[in-house]
């Protein structure tokens, strides 16, 4: 992810759910400054995830991380995200993927996450057909998001996160949900029942 609070904001519930059901997770973000690095570490810990902080997430550093961790699933921003740093991060992840997948076979699934008010850079709603119920993980997600005390969580990101989670939740008949879009990995979209 591009920023220290992005994992919590856009995929915190899905990460917490994955960990709570026996999986493991690593949150990889750009370091920024010591305060935000500490917040990223605290937020990841609340979600139950490991943290990987680097001065800059380049295709080379992403390749190294993916080779070491060999995740089954990768979540990143949309290449059509409204935020330019989100788009840049997504492009770097996509640049790293082909060689890593050919070499290691991992990840087998890649997803784009939501963005500001579910809009792309053209003002159109993002197409996010994979919706995950995070009702039980909502308290964990919000606690992890609140770990980012240097950011406008209470008055800005928190309310937006709640609005989006309720919107996606209504679409599947639950209270809270997060939505994602699967991306082809070397031309394949494997069948799956969850992220």
């Amino acid at each position: 992810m591009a920023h220290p609070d992005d994992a919590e904001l856009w995929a915190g519930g899905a990460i917490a759910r994955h960990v709570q059901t026996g999986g493991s997770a690593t949150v990889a973000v750009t370091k920024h400054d010591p305060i935000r690095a500490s917040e990223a570490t605290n937020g990841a810990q609340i979600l139950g995830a490991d943290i990987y902080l680097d001065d800059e997430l380049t295709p080379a550093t992403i390749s190294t991380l993916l080779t070491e961790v060999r995740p089954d699933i990768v979540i990143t921003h949309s290449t059509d995200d409204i935020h330019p740093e989100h788009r840049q991060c997504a492009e770097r992840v996509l640049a790293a993927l082909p060689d890593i997948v050919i070499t290691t076979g991992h990840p087998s699934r890649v997803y784009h996450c939501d963005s500001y008010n579910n809009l792309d850079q053209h003002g159109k709603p993002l197409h996010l057909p994979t919706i995950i119920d995070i009702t039980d993980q909502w308290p964990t997600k919000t606690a992890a998001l609140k770990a980012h005390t240097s950011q406008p969580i209470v008055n800005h990101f928190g309310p937006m996160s709640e609005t989006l989670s309720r919107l996606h939740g209504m679409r599947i008949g639950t209270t809270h949900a997060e939505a994602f879009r699967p991306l082809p990995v070397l031309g394949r979209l494997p069948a799956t029942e969850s992220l």
Side-chain angles (χ1 to χ4, degrees):
M1 297 287 188
H3 305 104
D5 56 357
D6 281 338
E8 291 88 335
L9 185 57
W10 309 118
I15 293 168
R17 180 180 173 133
H18 182 72
V19 170
Q20 290 170 7
T21 58
S24 62
T26 300
V27 172
V29 294
T30 306
K31 202 177 282 184
H32 288 271
D33 60 64
I35 291 172
R36 295 201 73 192
S38 176
E39 292 171 349
T41 301
N42 293 339
Q45 185 176 37
I46 292 167
L47 295 177
D50 294 327
I51 188 78
Y52 176 87
L53 294 163
D54 203 309
D55 291 329
E56 185 178 9
L57 292 178
T58 65
T61 58
I62 293 167
S63 291
T64 299
L65 176 63
L66 293 177
T67 300
E68 291 173 2
V69 176
R70 296 191 182 206
D72 292 323
I73 303 161
V74 168
I75 301 171
T76 190
H77 303 284
S78 170
T79 53
D80 204 24
D81 197 292
I82 195 167
H83 196 300
E85 291 175 8
H86 290 183
R87 291 194 306 270
Q88 182 181 53
C89 180
E91 292 293 345
R92 289 175 177 180
V93 170
L94 294 180
L97 281 176
D99 289 341
I100 295 302
V101 173
I102 289 168
T103 303
T104 69
H106 295 273
S108 59
R109 291 173 278 164
V110 180
Y111 294 87
H112 281 321
C113 61
D114 210 343
S115 185
Y116 296 94
N117 294 313
N118 194 229
L119 298 176
D120 69 14
Q121 63 178 324
H122 309 289
K124 295 179 182 176
L126 289 165
H127 177 61
L128 304 168
T130 303
I131 303 174
I132 304 297
D133 181 2
I134 63 158
T135 303
D136 291 343
Q137 291 74 33
W138 178 249
T140 303
K141 174 186 171 92
T142 57
L145 193 55
K146 288 176 183 176
H148 297 271
T149 56
S150 71
Q151 301 304 297
I153 302 300
V154 174
N155 296 322
H156 181 67
F157 293 126
M160 180 180 62
S161 179
E162 179 151 10
T163 298
L164 289 173
S165 75
R166 288 189 181 279
L167 170 69
H168 296 309
M170 283 190 294
R171 291 175 171 161
I172 61 170
T174 65
T175 306
H176 296 284
E178 290 173 337
F180 304 88
R181 178 168 51 100
L183 295 176
V185 177
L186 296 179
R188 288 183 300 192
L189 286 168
T192 181
E193 303 220 355
S194 68
L195 288 183

